[in-house]
């Protein structure tokens, strides 16, 4: 077996931030990336007015079936950021690799009170043992979360088995960090029809499909030069029929308060006359935290000579649009919002003396208070 190459990351020479990747759960195991590195400054797939965000997971039952028969149930689970089930969410199901299809009646399913949506997958025909990868997607506003699950179709011809597939890479970055690099080691085992290891066999891994942010850079067998993209690599199995592929995914920041999700499928094949084929699914999710909400000025005043209809303005910065503004005394001063400008309108021209509070909030729940007085 060819020795595993070391993984190197060449980073910008300043303002470096390291992040820990966290593994996601599914019916076929969990995976933690070798390392996750965010590169850039301080303060990066959509701009969207949304107040809901969440997490999507997917499982398949059973995990293995006899080829050319039976059916598989896939269950998607949608929860908010606190882990509470989200009902009435539309989940779309599709087969992204392998000989199978989603039952046409279950391509889009709405989650129930438990936040679950269930679809039926119908296996097709295959002459060799292989696996199937199912993708589920769910939209939060205009942002799309994705998750993979996989099941095996056994044919008794030997198999390529990935340890821990499908894989999940997740990270969170501060505003201003331009991208994250996920580094993955993907181990596999090659066996014959009797389950015995097959040593000395070349196995080639390539990028089979990718959906998500088109800026994402996927590299198979990561090289010392991170600017050189290599989309496939061949590894020869060792005496135990095992090998390891290196995969690097560079994900760019989606924007403050937003997340971006990628669905990536890799295809592995042997050099046999009748090649064995297997697929490995990998999803990434990168969340950029929202910058702090601020307003200027924080205090305003109407002059004694101002009449009803006089206005003052407050400029909102940071946070995530859209913004809202609420007056504690709308009979004295009303508040309206257009983009990032809050307009305060005098409604009572009498010599009132109280301080009016204006609560300004963004779509992520951040808020700040400005005050208005009458001179």
């Amino acid at each position: 077996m060819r020795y595993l190459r070391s993984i190197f990351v060449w980073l910008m020479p300043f303002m470096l931030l390291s992040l820990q990747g966290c593994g996601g759960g599914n019916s076929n195991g969990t995976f933690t990336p070798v390392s996750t590195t965010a590169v850039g400054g301080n303060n990066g797939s959509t701009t969207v007015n949304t107040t809901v965000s969440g997490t999507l997971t997917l499982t398949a039952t059973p995990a293995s079936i006899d080829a050319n028969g039976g059916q598989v149930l896939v269950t998607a689970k949608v929860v908010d950021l606190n882990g509470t089930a989200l009902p009435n969410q539309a989940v779309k199901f599709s087969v992204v690799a392998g000989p199978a299809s989603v039952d046409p009646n279950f391509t889009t399913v709405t989650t129930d009170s438990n936040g679950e949506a269930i679809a039926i997958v119908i296996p097709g025909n295959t002459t060799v043992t292989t696996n199937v990868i199912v993708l589920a997607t769910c939209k939060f506003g205009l942002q799309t979360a994705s998750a993979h699950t996989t099941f095996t179709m056994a044919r008794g011809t030997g198999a390529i088995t990935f340890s821990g597939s499908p894989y999940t890479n997740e990270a969170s970055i501060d505003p201003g960090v331009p991208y994250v690099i996920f580094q993955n080691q993907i181990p596999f085992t090659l066996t014959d029809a009797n389950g015995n290891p097959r040593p000395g066999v070349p196995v080639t891994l390539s990028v089979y499909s990718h959906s998500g942010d088109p800026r994402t850079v996927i590299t198979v067998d990561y090289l010392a030069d991170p600017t050189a993209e290599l989309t496939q690599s061949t590894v020869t199995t060792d005496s135990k029929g095992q090998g390891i592929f290196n995969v690097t995914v560079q994900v760019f920041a989606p924007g403050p308060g937003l997340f971006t999700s990628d669905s990536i499928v890799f295809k592995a094949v042997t050099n046999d006359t009748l090649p064995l084929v297997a697929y490995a699914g990998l999803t990434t999710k990168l969340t950029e935290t929202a910058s702090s909400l601020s307003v200027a000025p924080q205090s305003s005043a109407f002059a004694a000579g101002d009449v009803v209809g006089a206005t003052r303005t407050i400029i909102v910065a940071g946070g995530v649009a859209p913004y809202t503004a609420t007056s504690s005394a709308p009979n004295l001063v009303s508040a309206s919002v257009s983009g990032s400008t809050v307009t305060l309108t005098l409604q009572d021209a009498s010599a009132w003396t109280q301080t009016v509070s204006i609560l300004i909030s963004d779509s992520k729940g951040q808020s700040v208070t400005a005050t208005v007085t009458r001179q």
Side-chain angles (χ1 to χ4, degrees), residues 64-70 99 123-130 151-156:
S64 179
I65 63 170
D66 290 335
N68 312 327
N125 295 321
T126 179
T127 57
V128 297
T129 295
T130 187
F151 64 89
T152 299
M153 297 176 62
R155 191 65 172 174

Side-chain angles (χ1 to χ4, degrees), residues 66-86:
D66 290 335
N68 312 327
Q71 65 181 23
V72 174
L73 296 180
V74 290
T75 303
K77 178 78 173 183
V78 183
V79 299
D80 64 18
L81 297 182
N82 296 316
T84 303
L86 288 176

Side-chain angles (χ1 to χ4, degrees), residues 97-99 130-133 150 162 165 208 265-268 277-281:
T130 187
N131 65 326
V132 173
I133 295 179
T150 184
F162 288 103
S165 176
Y208 179 75
V265 176
F266 300 96
K267 180 180 181 180
V277 177
Y279 302 93

Side-chain angles (χ1 to χ4, degrees), residues 10-184:
W10 295 94
L11 306 176
M12 293 173 59
F14 57 93
M15 309 184 84
L16 173 63
L17 173 67
S18 292
L19 297 174
Q20 177 66 42
C22 55
N26 54 66
S27 63
N28 300 282
T30 59
F31 181 75
T32 301
V34 174
S35 63
T36 305
T37 306
V39 182
N42 38 355
N43 179 20
S45 68
T46 51
T47 55
V48 54
N49 297 336
T50 176
T51 57
V52 178
S53 189
T55 299
L56 173 67
T57 57
L58 189 64
T59 57
T61 306
S64 179
I65 63 170
D66 290 335
N68 312 327
Q71 65 181 23
V72 174
L73 296 180
V74 290
T75 303
K77 178 78 173 183
V78 183
V79 299
D80 64 18
L81 297 182
N82 296 316
T84 303
L86 288 176
N88 304 315
Q89 303 294 310
V91 178
K92 292 186 177 181
F93 297 91
S94 61
V95 171
V96 292
S101 61
V102 177
D103 186 309
N105 296 314
F106 295 90
T107 54
T108 300
V109 181
T110 302
T111 56
D112 59 19
S113 59
N114 296 315
E116 294 184 345
I118 300 175
I120 296 175
V121 176
I122 304 170
N125 295 321
T126 179
T127 57
V128 297
T129 295
T130 187
N131 65 326
V132 173
I133 295 179
V134 183
L135 171 68
T137 59
C138 181
K139 282 193 172 183
F140 299 98
L142 296 179
Q143 302 172 102
T144 301
S146 58
H148 286 144
T149 191
T150 184
F151 64 89
T152 299
M153 297 176 62
R155 191 65 172 174
T157 55
I160 303 171
T161 304
F162 288 103
S163 176
S165 176
Y167 310 111
T168 302
N169 293 172
E170 295 188 17
S172 178
I173 57 174
D174 293 328
V177 177
Y179 61 83
V180 153
I181 293 175
F182 294 107
Q183 299 172 356
N184 301 271

Side-chain angles (χ1 to χ4, degrees), residues 195-283:
N196 299 313
R198 292 182 61 192
V201 179
V203 178
T204 300
L205 187 78
S206 60
V207 178
Y208 179 75
S209 67
H210 169 229
S211 62
D213 190 338
R215 300 175 299 166
T216 297
V217 178
I218 307 161
T219 305
V220 180
D221 199 2
Y222 196 71
L223 300 177
D225 179 4
T227 64
E229 181 178 356
L230 187 63
T231 58
Q232 75 173 37
S233 178
T234 300
V235 171
T236 300
T237 56
D238 64 12
S239 60
K240 297 181 180 179
Q242 298 176 341
I244 299 176
F245 289 104
N246 295 326
V247 169
T248 299
V249 183
Q250 182 182 15
V251 182
F252 290 85
L258 305 177
F259 73 83
T260 181
S261 182
D262 283 278
S263 165
I264 305 165
V265 176
F266 300 96
K267 180 180 181 180
V269 297
T270 63
N271 67 341
D272 299 312
T273 302
L274 185 60
L276 295 179
V277 177
Y279 302 93
L282 185 151
T283 57

Side-chain angles (χ1 to χ4, degrees), residues 330-347:
N331 58 312
L332 302 180
V333 179
S334 62
S336 61
V337 181
S338 176
S340 59
T341 300
V342 178
T343 300
L344 309 176
T345 304
L346 183 63
Q347 302 293 336

